[in-house]
């Protein structure tokens, strides 16, 4: 009797998971498993049947020099976005952490670009680069030249997304006890020493979150280069995510693209884990 | 005290300069939307001599705005409702049963899924949609949007439920209320703060979604605003004033929403991100 009641209770509880399992299963779990299968085939993305070719896709990745360019672009983009996003986000958060007139208005203003879609952000900035900067400063579009295209895309991405990390840093800064600053002041520490020895260690968790997030987002970047440049000029802004997309829709080599995406995911997991472990070690307890 | 005041003024000036930099693209966007191509060529910064409202009416017509607006509205509201229902239920039951191995396993799987880049499931998803005839349909898109949003939103709910005391639920159970009734009548209303944050965040994300929509929506009648604009800006770069008028129209709904809901969004991000 009791046993039956327990089973019924477990089933009822399990019912809470059912809707989530349905959506999650259909759109992530099943595709993920299916993807492993696809990566062993020479599927072209169109035909009904798939030929198994074993590990050939995987071994091709290492013999194909075509992939080096997207790897370089992605790494360059991810490093720039991680450094500048965190530097600017922290800078803005430090400004907003000061008490001055209109403080919360500025917080709102800095957040406005973040609510725009990437499509609009890219469109507006393409125009700025091409027409406005040209008329004002006489410089050619940043995203029109192979050398400057990635920094150009980083600027768009920063404008469109820096505010999220800014809020994370700001919430960490607000929680730093004020008396620690006073104590440091009494001990004769100047502004920079206070920042380095009090602020930085105490907002450690925010660093861990923001650096890991911006690095992994930067490595996965798809929409900004896809919309702003389509990977050009001459593939100089093609990222790994775009490279995989093109294997499905342009090169008709879905199986190979899928193999790349799996190797890519493993790399991402390793990098994400390593970076967050390194940062976590440096955190101090409050 | 005087140096304190000076430093405040300096910080204010720096903050204002940055604000100008952040808002400058919007200024360009608005003035260009009201100009003729001739005026734009003469000076990009100048104000328009006369407000050319016809840019807006033409842009509305060419981009088939009402259709894509409706598609965006349907996709966003439906997916956000499902995200809230599914992830709040799932997050609640996981948070309350973390001692049990299978619920801890669920939490671990969701955490792992948050790290999986979309490109890994992109090709199989395309294959599944084609096989099930869900390509170019809004339900197909909605299922994908909900499914890929569940890991993060459930994660936010789990964190919040841990902080909610159990007494009220226990009292309701003793009074003979079933587990589902207790949930919807007692627990769900208690989760209101995090629900507001999850809903606001996802309205913005779903409204602006690009990666998944680009793959699912390839026919005119299902395109959402971002996808419509992606193709529009690709084709009509010759008439920039029209394109900017359409950009302005697309910004308005999300900006209104943002101004109304920014409290939930900003507070939620500030409290959830570091702890979560």
């Amino acid at each position: 009797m009791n046993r039956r009641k327990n089973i019924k209770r477990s089933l009822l509880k399990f019912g809470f998971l059912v809707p989530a399992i349905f959506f999650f299963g259909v759109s992530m779990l099943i595709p993920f498993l299916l993807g492993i299968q696809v990566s062993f085939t020479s599927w072209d993305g169109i035909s009904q049947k798939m030929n198994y070719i074993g590990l050939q896709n995987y071994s091709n990745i290492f013999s194909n020099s075509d992939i080096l360019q997207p790897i370089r672009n992605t790494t360059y983009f991810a490093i720039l976005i991680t450094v500048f996003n965190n530097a600017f986000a922290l800078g803005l958060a430090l400004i907003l952490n000061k008490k001055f007139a209109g403080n919360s208005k500025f917080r709102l203003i800095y957040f406005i670009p973040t609510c725009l879609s990437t499509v609009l952000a890219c469109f507006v900035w393409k125009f700025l680069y091409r027409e406005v900067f040209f008329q004002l400063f006489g410089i050619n579009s940043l995203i029109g030249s192979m050398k400057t295209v990635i920094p150009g895309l980083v600027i768009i991405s920063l404008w469109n997304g820096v505010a999220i990390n800014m809020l994370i840093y700001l919430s960490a800064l607000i929680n730093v006890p004020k008396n620690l600053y006073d104590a440091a002041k009494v001990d004769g520490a100047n502004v920079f020493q206070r920042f380095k020895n009090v602020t930085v260690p105490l907002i450690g968790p925010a660093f861990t979150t923001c650096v890991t997030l911006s690095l992994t987002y930067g490595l996965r970047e798809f929409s900004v280069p896809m919309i702003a440049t389509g990977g050009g000029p001459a593939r100089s802004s093609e990222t790994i995510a775009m490279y995989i997309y093109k294997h499905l829709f342009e090169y008709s080599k879905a199986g190979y693209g899928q193999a790349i995406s799996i190797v890519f995911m493993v790399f991402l997991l390793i990098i994400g884990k390593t970076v967050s472990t390194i940062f976590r070690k440096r955190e101090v307890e409050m | 005290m005087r140096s304190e005041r000076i430093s405040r003024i300096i910080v204010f000036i720096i903050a204002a300069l940055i604000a100008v930099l952040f808002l400058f693209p919007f200024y360009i966007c608005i003035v260009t939307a009201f100009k003729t191509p001739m005026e734009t060529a003469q000076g990009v910064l100048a104000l328009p001599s006369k407000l050319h409202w016809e840019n807006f009416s033409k842009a509305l017509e060419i981009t088939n705005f009402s259709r894509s607006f409706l598609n965006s509205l349907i996709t966003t509201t439906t997916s956000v409702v499902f995200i809230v229902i599914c992830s709040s239920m799932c997050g609640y039951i996981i948070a309350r049963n973390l001692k049990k191995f299978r619920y801890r396993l669920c939490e671990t799987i969701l955490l792992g899924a948050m790290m999986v880049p979309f490109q890994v499931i992109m090709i199989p998803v395309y294959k599944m949609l084609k096989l099930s005839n869900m390509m170019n349909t809004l339900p197909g898109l909605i299922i994908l949007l909900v499914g890929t949003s569940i890991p993060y939103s459930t994660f936010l709910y789990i964190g919040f439920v841990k902080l909610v005391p159990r007494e009220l639920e226990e009292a309701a159970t003793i009074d003979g209320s079933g587990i589902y009734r207790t949930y919807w009548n007692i627990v769900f209303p208690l989760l209101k703060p995090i629900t507001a944050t999850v809903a606001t965040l996802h309205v913005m994300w779903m409204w602006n979604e690009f990666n998944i929509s680009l793959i699912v929506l390839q026919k005119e009648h299902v395109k959402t605003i971002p996808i419509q604009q992606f193709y529009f800006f690709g084709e009509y770069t010759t008439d920039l004033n029209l394109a900017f008028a359409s950009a302005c129209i697309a910004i308005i709904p999300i900006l209104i929403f943002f101004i109304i809901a920014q409290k939930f969004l900003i507070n939620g991000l500030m409290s959830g991100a570091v702890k979560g």
Side-chain angles (χ1 to χ4, degrees):
Chain A
M1 186 61 199
N2 219 346
R3 200 186 141 83
R4 191 178 284 173
K5 222 175 179 177
N6 264 338
I7 291 174
K8 199 185 151 202
R9 208 179 146 67
S10 307
L11 278 178
L12 276 175
K13 271 199 209 162
F14 181 74
F16 274 83
L17 294 177
V18 170
I21 288 176
F22 167 74
F23 284 102
F24 180 72
V26 170
S27 50
M28 290 200 82
L29 217 54
I30 297 174
F32 183 74
L33 299 172
L34 207 63
I36 296 173
Q37 187 202 356
V38 171
S39 74
F40 295 117
T41 68
S42 60
W43 191 47
D44 56 6
I46 304 155
S47 62
Q48 293 291 326
K49 75 178 199 349
M50 305 193 294
N51 293 321
Y52 283 87
I53 54 167
L55 286 168
Q56 210 184 315
N57 283 330
Y58 288 92
S59 62
N60 280 353
I61 297 173
F62 299 98
S63 58
N64 190 351
S65 61
D66 206 35
I67 197 177
L68 292 175
Q69 178 77 28
I71 290 178
R72 266 199 301 269
N73 296 338
T74 309
T75 317
Y76 186 28
F77 183 89
I79 292 173
L80 284 186
I81 200 81
T82 309
V83 171
F84 285 103
N85 191 321
N86 287 288
F88 280 130
L90 185 57
L92 291 174
L94 285 170
I95 290 174
L96 291 177
N97 196 34
K98 290 256 184 301
K99 281 198 183 65
F100 61 91
N103 177 303
S104 64
K105 299 256 181 342
F106 284 115
R107 194 179 66 183
L108 188 62
I109 290 173
Y110 299 158
F111 209 90
I112 288 177
T114 304
C115 70
L116 287 203
S117 68
T118 321
V119 177
L120 285 177
C122 290
F123 167 68
V124 174
W125 275 90
K126 266 170 94 169
F127 179 76
L128 285 176
Y129 283 147
R130 205 179 51 228
E131 308 284 337
V132 180
F133 287 7
F134 185 75
Q135 281 196 19
L136 288 183
F137 316 113
I139 49 171
N140 287 324
S141 174
L142 285 177
I143 56 173
S145 134
M146 286 177 75
K147 280 209 185 97
T148 53
V149 60
I150 295 207
L153 296 177
V154 167
I155 293 174
I156 303 178
S157 195
L158 279 178
W159 183 74
N160 198 206
V162 74
I164 292 188
N165 279 359
M166 171 190 88
L167 287 183
I168 299 174
Y169 281 121
L170 184 58
S171 71
L173 285 173
I174 289 171
N175 289 326
V176 175
K178 291 281 168 292
N179 55 5
L180 285 181
Y181 288 112
D182 297 334
K185 229 183 233 176
V186 171
D187 289 343
N190 65 31
V191 180
F192 295 103
Q193 284 167 331
R194 288 204 298 269
F195 177 71
K196 192 171 148 255
N197 298 321
V198 181
T199 314
V200 173
L202 283 175
I203 59 170
F207 272 111
T208 313
T209 313
C210 292
V211 171
T212 317
L213 272 184
S214 48
L215 185 64
T216 48
Y217 269 99
L219 288 170
R220 297 183 217 179
E221 188 57 56
F222 174 76
S223 41
V224 173
M226 178 74 192
I227 299 163
T229 62
R235 294 185 74 211
S236 57
S237 63
E238 189 179 289
T239 61
I240 294 175
M242 273 179 75
Y243 186 67
I244 296 167
Y245 175 84
K246 284 187 174 173
H247 275 89
L248 174 60
F249 287 109
E250 282 177 32
Y251 312 148
S252 299
K253 278 186 181 171
Y256 178 62
Q258 184 61 32
I260 297 174
S261 79
I262 287 175
V263 174
F264 176 50
M265 180 191 71
V266 173
F267 266 105
L268 266 183
L269 290 178
I270 295 171
I271 291 170
K273 188 79 196 141
T274 317
V275 170
S276 71
T277 315
I278 292 171
F279 274 85
R280 196 124 284 163
K281 262 194 210 142
R282 301 173 60 106
E283 284 175 17
V284 291
E285 287 287 321
M286 240 189 237
Chain B
M1 274 305 103
R2 220 182 121 197
S3 73
E4 181 76 357
R5 217 164 92 204
I6 292 171
S7 88
R8 268 185 203 181
I9 293 170
I10 293 171
V11 173
F12 178 83
I13 293 170
I14 297 171
L17 285 177
I18 298 171
V20 170
L21 277 179
F22 270 65
L23 293 180
F24 176 68
F26 288 101
Y27 168 77
I28 295 290
C29 193
I30 295 166
V31 291
T32 314
F34 281 109
K35 286 182 194 170
T36 58
M38 188 60 187
E39 282 178 296
T40 313
Q42 279 164 354
V44 279
L45 289 181
L47 289 167
S49 59
K50 177 178 164 285
L51 298 183
H52 291 272
W53 288 100
E54 70 273 13
N55 285 344
F56 287 86
S57 50
K58 248 197 231 164
L60 281 174
E61 205 178 298
I62 296 177
T63 56
N64 200 357
F65 186 79
S66 52
R67 181 75 247 180
S68 46
F69 182 82
L70 193 67
N71 287 337
S72 277
L73 201 64
I74 295 170
T75 321
T76 306
T77 45
T78 323
S79 56
V80 171
V81 167
F82 277 120
I83 288 168
V84 166
I85 294 174
C86 297
S87 54
S88 69
M89 286 171 75
C90 175
Y92 165 73
I93 210 77
I94 289 178
R96 284 289 186 254
N97 294 285
L98 273 178
K99 277 189 218 110
K100 292 209 179 80
F101 172 74
R102 55 197 139 155
Y103 288 98
R104 250 197 350 263
L105 184 70
C106 286
E107 196 197 21
T108 316
I109 291 174
L110 289 172
L111 266 175
M114 270 165 55
M115 295 289 285
V116 172
F118 173 67
Q119 287 73 36
V120 173
I121 56 166
M122 178 179 77
I123 291 170
V125 154
Y126 175 75
K127 187 171 181 245
M128 275 174 52
L129 287 171
K130 271 182 83 177
L131 283 176
S132 57
N133 280 326
M134 295 280 246
M135 203 64 194
N136 293 312
T137 62
L138 293 182
L141 176 68
I142 291 166
I143 291 175
L144 286 176
L145 291 179
V146 175
T148 48
S149 304
I150 276 179
Y152 185 67
S153 50
T154 306
F155 189 65
L156 291 179
Y157 271 108
I158 294 175
F160 190 84
V161 171
K162 280 180 188 162
L163 307 173
V164 177
R166 289 168 184 248
E167 283 80 17
L168 279 172
E169 301 154 47
E170 278 160 7
T173 316
I174 290 166
D175 288 346
S177 154
I179 181 167
Y180 287 92
R181 217 175 70 194
T182 309
Y183 178 72
W184 288 113
N185 290 347
I186 314 279
V187 182
F188 189 68
L190 290 175
L191 304 180
K192 218 193 236 157
I194 190 72
T195 302
T197 305
V198 169
T200 318
L201 261 181
H202 284 89
V203 167
M204 307 264 284
W205 285 342
M206 299 302 113
W207 186 267
N208 291 332
E209 210 288 324
F210 179 75
N211 292 6
I212 300 177
S213 318
L214 183 68
I215 290 172
V216 183
L217 312 175
Q218 298 177 342
K219 292 249 167 69
E220 196 61 33
H221 66 283
V222 283
K223 280 176 187 161
T224 55
I225 292 179
I227 300 301
Q228 184 69 37
Q229 303 232 304
F230 174 64
Y231 289 106
F232 177 70
F233 294 147
E235 287 165 34
Y236 288 84
T237 38
T238 41
D239 199 338
L240 279 165
N241 303 91
L242 273 192
F244 272 104
S246 109
C248 282
I249 300 166
I251 292 173
I252 292 167
I254 196 67
L255 215 53
I256 292 173
F257 175 80
F258 172 72
I259 288 166
I260 296 169
Q262 43 106 3
K263 197 177 77 195
F264 302 120
L265 190 74
I266 291 176
N267 291 347
L269 270 173
M270 280 178 69
S271 60
V274 180
K275 286 175 209 136

